[in-house]
Amino acid sequence: MTRAPELPSNATNSLDDSLRQPFAPHAVFIDDDEELLRANAQTLKLHGVAVAAHASAHAALPALTRDFDGVVVSDIRMPDMDGLQLFQRLREIDPDIPVILITGHGDIATAVQCMRDGAYDFLAKPYAADRLITAIMHAAEKRHLVLENRRLREAAFAVEADEVPFIGAAPAMQRIKQTLRHIADADVDVLVEGETGTGKEVVATALHRLSRRRHRALVAINCGALPESVIESELFGHEAGAFTGAQKKRIGRIEHASGGTLFLDEIESMPLAVQVKLLRVLESRQITPLGSNDVRNLDLRVVAATKEDLGSPAIRAKFREDLFYRLNVVTIRIPPLRERREDIPLLFAHYLGHASRRFQRDIPEMPASIKQHVMTHDWPGNVRELAHFAERVVLGVLNTPAPQTAATSGVAESLPERMERFEAQLIRDALQTHQGDIKATLESLGIPRKTFYDKLQRHGIDRQQYTQQ
């Protein structure tokens, strides 16, 4: 089996840095007047702008690559290569590099034309220092967002090449990938544990695609979605006349999966009576449909998924211990997002790219409030919640207010105040994720209904605002 290329760690690190680190403006200042060059460079440094000063465009060009992360400020009238020639050269290197041109009164018309051609701004001499600083700050922020979005797109496309479609650079995720490759062609049953939305079905799909069974069916059954009255017939099949309403023969889902992979999701929801029959199938690799005496052999691999700890004594009342031990040949536990925060930037990038292609929309610029939310939210809905959030970002339909921090309000918050704000934000996020559905919201938050409504009233949250988004 060929090992898929792993995403370079520096791609993950650059994404993580771009979401975590504060914005630091950077500028290249070009002017053949050495006195003005020195004075402007000093002014910018005093205002927190990192400056590389050059007396000619030729001297500055080697640093102005497609990866240049700052702003170019250039005088128009210079010997050898003037500001207009430099601007055209930068358009060829990267049209998104922001260029601010410094003009004399006779060059204003030319500078205006350059702005129509893509220049960011122009400053007419003499100009105030605060005008220069403001223009650079805005242009630098725009450049920062352009480069960040490029990194997001590149990371999103890079993960597409992996044969194991399980995104994550955290050690736990790398171990899962290694395990999947190691057991893919071993016909062992696998138990996948993980919270809602962590990607249990993705594991089952990866196992199937990596195995020799990939050319046969992957049959997925949600045990929690099938009514108890039909689950036995769905799983084991039946003969015509086996029970009232059974007018014709039906091949069960287990038999249909023979030669391929059977994925049993939410297996903890399977009725006890059906668990007994499933245990027999797993032990004998044979099946007898309802109403038949024929025993049929199966070539089967079973992947079962659960959000419960089936090994816990507390669950014994609803799940058979012997079935647990039969399934527990290989157990894969998928950690929730809150336990692998280093993977969040890469996952967010992947789902932004996916949403961009699905909805045929460009990935928008990321304001600081979204970046803060992505890195600080606990994501109780895990990867599924993050994917839906990325979709809303691309569609531009976010209506969850960003939490106000002590830094932005200018007032230091006490610990209880911060906890209250954080709790309110979690509730809003859960309502947003589940579109105001009370049952789903309560399940994701893990709180009683009365407590939930008390918190809505205390935080002034209107649930109706989140319905039918």
Side-chain angles (χ1 to χ4, degrees):
M1 186 186 305
T2 306
R3 184 180 177 89
E6 300 290 348
L7 188 68
S9 60
N10 62 342
T12 306
N13 293 339
S14 64
L15 280 169
D16 190 64
D17 291 345
S18 69
L19 290 173
R20 289 179 182 274
Q21 291 181 356
F23 168 64
H26 169 55
V28 168
F29 204 103
I30 309 166
D31 198 321
D32 61 331
D33 187 324
E34 293 187 5
E35 185 175 343
L36 286 175
L37 182 64
R38 186 166 51 252
N40 280 305
Q42 185 177 11
T43 298
L44 294 176
K45 288 177 182 177
L46 289 173
H47 286 81
V49 179
V51 186
H54 299 279
S56 71
H58 284 298
L61 269 175
L64 302 178
T65 66
R66 180 174 167 79
D67 295 327
F68 172 66
D69 63 351
V71 184
V72 175
V73 183
S74 175
D75 192 12
I76 286 185
R77 293 185 178 271
M78 296 185 297
D80 298 327
M81 178 184 287
D82 63 25
L84 301 181
Q85 292 171 319
L86 173 64
F87 170 63
Q88 293 302 325
R89 181 72 184 93
L90 292 178
R91 294 281 294 170
E92 296 171 3
I93 295 171
D94 182 356
D96 290 323
I97 293 177
V99 178
I100 299 173
L101 296 170
I102 299 174
T103 73
H105 290 294
D107 298 319
I108 290 179
T110 302
V112 170
Q113 182 59 48
C114 285
M115 288 189 66
R116 291 176 181 153
D117 293 338
Y120 182 80
D121 201 352
F122 74 92
L123 302 175
K125 297 178 181 178
Y127 51 84
D130 60 349
R131 175 75 174 87
L132 171 64
I133 294 163
T134 300
I136 289 177
M137 290 294 190
H138 290 168
E141 184 174 2
K142 179 180 179 181
R143 180 60 176 172
H144 174 72
L145 292 172
V146 166
L147 292 180
E148 182 175 289
N149 286 337
R150 281 184 190 169
R151 286 191 290 268
L152 289 173
R153 292 189 187 96
E154 289 166 1
F157 291 134
V159 297
E160 300 289 341
D162 197 341
E163 67 180 349
V164 181
F166 215 67
I167 303 165
M173 304 310 294
Q174 293 303 312
R175 285 193 296 271
I176 289 175
K177 283 189 176 186
Q178 184 178 8
T179 300
L180 293 180
R181 293 188 178 101
H182 186 67
I183 67 172
D185 273 333
D187 282 336
V188 294
D189 296 334
V190 178
L191 181 63
V192 185
E193 296 179 346
E195 295 179 4
T196 298
T198 50
K200 297 184 289 293
E201 188 168 357
V202 176
V203 168
T205 303
L207 268 175
H208 179 72
R209 290 179 178 173
L210 290 170
S211 74
R212 60 176 177 79
R213 299 174 177 272
R214 58 185 170 274
H215 301 299
R216 301 297 295 273
L218 168 63
V219 179
I221 301 172
N222 189 322
C223 301
L226 289 175
E228 190 169 345
S229 58
V230 302
I231 188 171
E232 192 170 349
S233 174
E234 284 287 324
L235 288 176
F236 303 101
H238 62 257
E239 297 292 325
F243 52 84
T244 303
Q247 298 179 358
K248 59 182 180 179
K249 176 181 178 180
R250 175 181 174 83
I251 301 296
R253 306 292 290 277
I254 293 177
E255 187 175 354
H256 180 59
S258 186
T261 303
L262 176 67
F263 175 53
L264 299 173
D265 197 10
E266 296 189 24
I267 195 169
E268 72 276 7
S269 303
M270 181 177 286
L272 284 168
V274 181
Q275 291 179 34
V276 175
K277 293 190 174 184
L278 177 63
L279 176 61
R280 182 173 179 81
V281 169
L282 295 180
E283 289 177 338
S284 66
R285 265 11 188 209
Q286 293 178 329
I287 193 168
T288 303
L290 298 176
S292 172
N293 293 321
D294 294 335
V295 177
R296 301 171 189 173
N297 293 323
L298 300 172
D299 172 19
L300 194 67
R301 165 184 246 168
V302 176
V303 180
T306 177
K307 59 180 179 290
E308 304 278 1
D309 178 8
L310 298 184
S312 169
I315 205 171
R316 288 288 175 262
K318 66 176 184 176
F319 200 84
R320 293 180 62 92
E321 187 175 10
D322 49 4
L323 179 56
F324 165 66
Y325 289 125
R326 184 62 189 81
L327 289 169
N328 192 29
V329 181
V330 175
T331 298
I332 296 176
R333 178 187 177 272
I334 309 174
L337 274 186
R338 63 182 176 274
E339 293 181 10
R340 55 181 184 112
R341 289 189 177 276
E342 62 267 45
D343 287 341
I344 291 177
L346 184 57
L347 283 161
F348 187 51
H350 170 73
Y351 288 113
L352 282 174
H354 184 271
S356 175
R357 294 189 294 275
R358 177 186 174 189
F359 301 121
Q360 298 183 340
R361 301 275 188 94
D362 290 335
I363 297 176
E365 296 181 352
M366 297 292 152
S369 59
I370 289 181
K371 292 186 286 186
Q372 181 189 29
H373 179 77
V374 168
M375 295 309 302
T376 59
H377 184 46
D378 267 351
W379 302 108
N382 293 293
V383 177
R384 185 179 298 138
E385 181 186 357
L386 181 64
H388 292 168
F389 181 76
E391 290 178 353
R392 294 197 299 274
V393 169
V394 170
L395 290 172
V397 293
L398 287 177
N399 64 358
T400 303
Q404 186 184 31
T405 64
T408 57
S409 66
V411 179
E413 291 180 304
S414 66
L415 179 59
E417 288 173 335
R418 280 180 281 174
M419 294 296 291
E420 285 288 298
R421 175 171 52 79
F422 183 67
E423 181 183 79
Q425 188 62 37
L426 285 179
I427 295 172
R428 292 190 181 99
D429 290 339
L431 285 168
Q432 181 74 40
T433 299
H434 301 293
Q435 299 183 342
D437 183 271
I438 293 297
K439 183 177 179 181
T441 301
L442 290 175
E443 183 178 346
S444 68
L445 292 173
I447 59 176
R449 184 179 293 266
K450 184 179 184 305
T451 302
F452 173 73
Y453 281 107
D454 289 342
K455 291 181 184 296
L456 288 185
Q457 183 175 7
R458 186 168 78 247
H459 297 303
I461 299 173
D462 181 6
R463 182 182 68 85
Q464 298 301 322
Q465 294 181 355
Y466 299 87
T467 59
Q468 302 298 320
Q469 294 294 332

